[in-house]
Amino acid sequence: MRKLVVDWIACDGHALCALAAPELIDLDDWGYPIVHAIPDDNASLLLARAAVEACPVMALRIEKSK
């Protein structure tokens, strides 16, 4: 299982990650991401990678869950 991790210091709340992967990321009232676990399928992993690439400040990364 993998998860999206937000670097809260770097995140500026652009919300581009949620636009790239709305199935995996919701936004709070201020536009900051609320991330969900990434299901174990290729389509979800591709969405997660798109969200990571969409972030203009590189505040997202994908990690393996423990």
Side-chain angles (χ1 to χ4, degrees):
M1 185 70 110
R2 296 176 191 259
K3 63 181 179 176
L4 282 167
V5 178
V6 180
D7 177 348
W8 294 111
I9 294 172
C11 182
D12 287 334
H14 292 280
L16 297 176
C17 57
L19 292 173
E23 296 87 350
L24 303 176
I25 302 171
D26 293 319
L27 297 176
D28 69 10
D29 293 337
W30 297 278
Y32 288 91
I34 301 169
V35 296
H36 305 286
I38 303 169
D40 283 332
D41 61 75
N42 287 337
S44 296
L45 185 55
L46 289 174
L47 280 174
R49 288 181 179 154
V52 168
E53 291 175 12
C55 182
V57 294
M58 297 184 289
L60 276 178
R61 66 182 179 276
I62 299 170
E63 289 184 356
K64 288 187 178 184
S65 298
K66 296 180 181 183

